[in-house]
Amino acid sequence: SLLAFPGKIASEGKWLAISDSNHNRILILDAASGKVQFMIGEGSKGLVDGAFNEAKFHQPQGVAWGEPGTTLYVADTENHAIREIDLVKRTVRTLAGSGKQATRSNVPGVGRDVALASPWDLLVHKGHLYVAMAGPHQIWRIELGTGAAEPFAGSSRENLKDGPLLDAQLAQPSGIAMDPKATTLYFADSEISAIRTADLDEKGQVRTLIGKGLFDFGDKDGPFADALLQHPLGVLFYEGDLLIADTYNNKVKRLDLKNKTITTLIGTGKGGYKDGPADQALLNEPNGLALAGGKLFVADTNNHSIRVYDFASKNVSTLKITGLETMTKATHKTLSGPVTTLPAQRVTPGEAELVIDVALPKGHKLNTDAPLYVGLSTPHAEIISIPADVADRNIKDATLPIRTKIKLVTGATTLKVDLVVYYCEAGEKEGLCLVKPLRLEVPVQVVSNAEGKAIAVKAEVK
């Protein structure tokens, strides 16, 4: 898969937005074909606003559509911020959050002056953004026009206690949805393996549907009073019922709100990867849920994939994501970031070799599951002749250094080398994977009295 621990997923009907969390980016793709439409985020972790190819996130989770196809909101979890994506202008800005984790509870604020703590999921309703704020064990509300943010439900004390909105006690809310009548929020209170509700009326109450306390969890279907979940992370309404990503049970479950019972929709309880009939399919810690085209899309986090459940056939398949390589190339070609100029080189005319090497940070290796992009160009093609089939390419299973045959004619020019490097932490356990675009220029003199017979490009990922 080209994803790395995808977290949440949201649909506006035609498009799916996916938080590709460990790649620190957001992908927007066509739900029917799986083709990537937008790749948002430079790939390395950080808090940077700006154009899609310059913006930075840090392990984003929740995504929620504002204006369909136009505006997307992101819970940038490790940046403790809420970001706004404008798909028309193709820009990212920070709506709320200072970038530093809040150290005090129940302190409202505005825009980038307010301190948030681990926002995990989002919901848009009537000019407001409701935030499952896992860090302080609360639901917050942010006014979209001003960025004014304040607690909406939860006292910030961790526990299971129902009651008036701001007196109730929650425990790491991580998924949020709204009932069809738009009167009640439903949320997955993960640390207590509970499904709870909060009235939208500010004089309303928090109530528990399923869940008994911090140390009560399991995998049991049946009446709400007897049912047990284990660290659910996602919730979604479907035909009046509530679908649950029962994460640590590796299942998706369906809550019948009318009859107050819960049943398993997908999964056996065993973690793994397997498509097929829903009662035999295997998931591995599912998280986000979304509906599009009459199908259920599941962010299957530890399988690094998006799974698709067909309600008619009751079968599970895996979404094939396409167009990401093209998107990577197109994004990189329009980068406006800094260019690194390498030392000038003198080489002799005739047949020569271009050698490109990349120094990765200590303890990292190339990610062979993703292509390494190489773009080569020069303003003087008559001096450096680059074969068309190597001037613009994605190299799968790349090994370093990369060697390319070129032809040189006497003169002076600049060789431009564009790279998009995917790399991961090395070691026995699967580590964090990142992507780094590099823009390099090498002044080249081709003269008959030079000793060099190769152009050596040495890039460094920092």
Side-chain angles (χ1 to χ4, degrees):
S1 174
L2 295 178
L3 304 178
F5 299 99
K8 298 294 185 181
I9 183 170
S11 167
E12 47 84 83
K14 177 182 177 182
W15 286 349
L16 292 175
I18 301 169
S19 58
D20 193 7
S21 300
N22 269 33
H23 281 148
N24 303 297
R25 67 185 178 187
I26 305 299
L27 298 180
I28 296 177
L29 44 97
D30 183 275
S33 67
K35 185 176 181 179
V36 176
Q37 307 297 309
F38 299 93
M39 183 175 71
I40 305 160
E42 178 257 11
S44 59
K45 55 189 176 185
L47 179 57
V48 177
D49 290 344
F52 283 2
N53 51 19
E54 297 173 334
K56 293 186 179 183
F57 301 88
H58 190 182
Q59 295 192 358
Q61 283 287 329
V63 283
W65 289 97
E67 187 69 24
T70 300
T71 308
L72 183 74
Y73 297 96
V74 179
D76 197 1
T77 304
E78 292 299 317
N79 274 327
H80 311 289
I82 305 299
R83 316 291 292 279
E84 182 184 76
I85 294 173
D86 188 322
L87 291 170
V88 177
K89 298 179 180 178
R90 302 196 178 194
T91 56
V92 178
R93 77 177 184 100
T94 301
L95 174 67
S98 65
K100 296 182 179 180
Q101 186 173 8
T103 57
R104 295 187 297 156
S105 301
N106 297 308
V107 180
V110 178
R112 297 200 65 161
D113 293 330
V114 65
L116 308 178
S118 301
W120 210 270
D121 200 14
L122 304 173
L123 184 145
V124 177
H125 178 63
K126 290 187 176 180
H128 289 87
L129 195 62
Y130 290 86
V131 185
M133 199 79 71
H137 314 295
Q138 292 178 308
I139 305 294
W140 276 54
R141 184 170 65 182
I142 300 174
E143 187 176 3
L144 293 176
T146 64
E150 62 182 359
F152 175 78
S155 67
S156 195
R157 297 188 64 183
E158 182 185 21
N159 212 326
L160 192 156
K161 179 184 176 183
D162 291 345
L165 291 176
L166 292 174
D167 293 334
Q169 295 176 13
L170 318 182
Q172 205 178 69
S174 301
I176 189 169
M178 181 179 291
D179 75 314
K181 295 181 180 179
T183 60
T184 307
L185 297 177
Y186 287 71
F187 60 96
D189 219 3
S190 304
E191 200 66 18
I192 49 177
S193 299
I195 303 299
R196 308 178 73 184
T197 68
D199 298 330
L200 282 177
D201 180 355
E202 293 187 2
K203 296 182 180 180
Q205 302 278 314
V206 170
R207 300 177 178 87
T208 300
L209 300 182
I210 295 175
K212 297 178 173 59
L214 285 168
F215 306 104
D216 295 286
F217 56 87
D219 183 2
K220 186 177 181 181
D221 293 348
F224 283 1
D226 300 325
L228 292 174
L229 306 171
Q230 187 170 185
H231 205 85
L233 289 178
V235 288
L236 177 72
F237 267 91
Y238 173 71
E239 293 188 346
D241 292 343
L242 192 67
L243 303 182
I244 307 295
D246 193 4
T247 305
Y248 284 5
N249 283 327
N250 305 299
K251 289 183 174 183
V252 174
K253 296 190 175 183
R254 185 168 182 168
L255 275 68
D256 183 330
L257 296 172
K258 181 179 180 180
N259 296 309
K260 294 183 171 52
T261 59
I262 183 171
T263 55
T264 295
L265 184 69
I266 305 170
T268 67
K270 178 183 177 181
Y273 175 82
K274 181 182 178 182
D275 286 340
D279 59 354
Q280 300 173 32
L282 299 180
L283 308 176
N284 196 343
E285 296 194 8
N287 185 342
L289 305 172
L291 293 167
K295 297 179 180 179
L296 174 66
F297 291 78
V298 182
D300 196 6
T301 301
N302 284 2
N303 277 325
H304 314 290
S305 62
I306 305 301
R307 313 295 291 280
V308 185
Y309 173 74
D310 188 312
F311 287 96
S313 67
K314 297 183 180 180
N315 276 336
V316 174
S317 60
T318 299
L319 180 66
K320 183 179 180 181
I321 297 176
T322 63
L324 188 55
E325 293 179 15
T326 303
M327 187 63 60
T328 300
K329 291 198 297 182
T331 300
H332 188 254
K333 286 180 178 178
T334 59
L335 278 177
S336 58
V339 175
T340 300
T341 301
L342 300 180
Q345 298 188 36
R346 288 165 54 90
V347 290
T348 58
E351 295 281 348
E353 188 175 46
L354 171 61
V355 181
I356 301 173
D357 204 359
V358 180
L360 299 175
K362 185 178 180 180
H364 289 74
K365 63 179 181 180
L366 283 180
N367 180 359
T368 55
D369 290 330
L372 186 151
Y373 171 70
V374 179
L376 305 173
S377 62
T378 175
H380 301 96
E382 71 279 8
I383 297 175
I384 301 179
S385 178
I386 303 169
D389 60 341
V390 300
D392 183 47
R393 57 178 171 156
N394 287 286
I395 306 174
K396 294 184 177 181
D397 299 320
T399 57
L400 297 172
I402 298 167
R403 299 179 182 275
T404 300
K405 296 293 184 180
I406 56 176
K407 291 183 179 180
L408 304 175
V409 174
T410 301
T413 186
T414 299
L415 175 66
K416 298 180 179 181
V417 180
D418 294 337
L419 303 171
V420 179
V421 182
Y422 292 84
Y423 62 104
C424 302
E425 292 177 342
E428 294 182 2
K429 295 184 177 180
E430 188 168 3
L432 175 69
C433 291
L434 301 167
V435 58
K436 180 67 175 179
L438 298 171
R439 307 182 70 213
L440 310 169
E441 291 186 354
V442 185
V444 177
Q445 288 185 329
V446 183
V447 293
S448 58
N449 62 350
E451 295 182 357
K453 295 184 179 181
I455 300 175
V457 177
K458 294 184 179 180
E460 183 178 2
V461 176
K462 297 181 179 180

